[in-house]
Amino acid sequence: MSSTESSKHEGFTAEERAAMKDHAQELKNAVRRGSRASKAAEAERDMLVKIAEMQDPDRIMAERVHAVITASAPLLAPKLWYGMPAYALDGKIVCFFQSAEKFKARYATLGFSDQARLDDGPMWAAGFALTEVTAEVEARIGALVKQAVS
């Protein structure tokens, strides 16, 4: 069997390795924290710091997405997940914001895990491209997040 250039596996990209390192650090930080309330407060603070470090326009979108999600589904706990802002219910990620810059993508993404109750027949969207967060987009995000936790 001959090896071709197209089948050559290079392993993880630098961005993927960085995300895995972020996740390992997140797990270490979670173990070190004290009470449940202080863990939640520190997790949200860490997430807001990560958002503040983003470049525009990702930072602006992440701030608006955060505001919409926390207003629409206050039972979701903000935290970092692989270095990305994420929101969990009972410790399980429901949705997350992936900046375009993180993986050198064309657009930012609002993604939903299999924990989100977005089921709509045999096929439904679990990720949404974001290029701008308008009032209409905010309303759509709010509705999706409410449905995801209903």
Side-chain angles (χ1 to χ4, degrees), residues 45-150:
R45 188 194 72 232
D46 291 347
M47 189 191 73
L48 293 173
V49 166
K50 186 63 88 171
I51 289 173
E53 293 171 352
M54 292 178 186
Q55 301 284 324
D56 289 347
D58 286 341
R59 180 188 53 76
I60 294 165
M61 287 191 289
E63 289 170 348
R64 291 183 72 187
V65 166
H66 175 69
V68 170
I69 291 173
T70 55
S72 300
L75 63 152
L76 290 178
K79 62 187 288 182
L80 285 175
W81 182 63
Y82 291 95
M84 297 178 284
Y87 303 85
L89 181 62
D90 298 327
K92 296 180 180 176
I93 299 300
V94 172
C95 60
F96 60 91
F97 176 85
Q98 179 179 304
S99 71
E101 182 184 19
K102 184 159 186 76
F103 292 104
K104 297 178 176 49
R106 190 177 88 182
Y107 46 78
T109 306
L110 175 64
F112 290 87
S113 76
D114 61 337
Q115 299 298 311
R117 296 184 183 110
L118 298 177
D119 305 36
D120 184 20
M123 183 174 138
W124 58 89
F128 299 85
L130 296 172
T131 58
E132 182 181 9
V133 179
T134 63
E136 182 181 329
V137 171
E138 286 180 352
R140 178 85 168 115
I141 291 169
L144 284 167
V145 170
K146 286 176 184 174
Q147 180 182 348
V149 297
S150 64

Side-chain angles (χ1 to χ4, degrees), residues 1-4 6-8:
M1 186 164 176
S2 67
S3 175
T4 64
S6 64
S7 66
K8 186 176 176 184

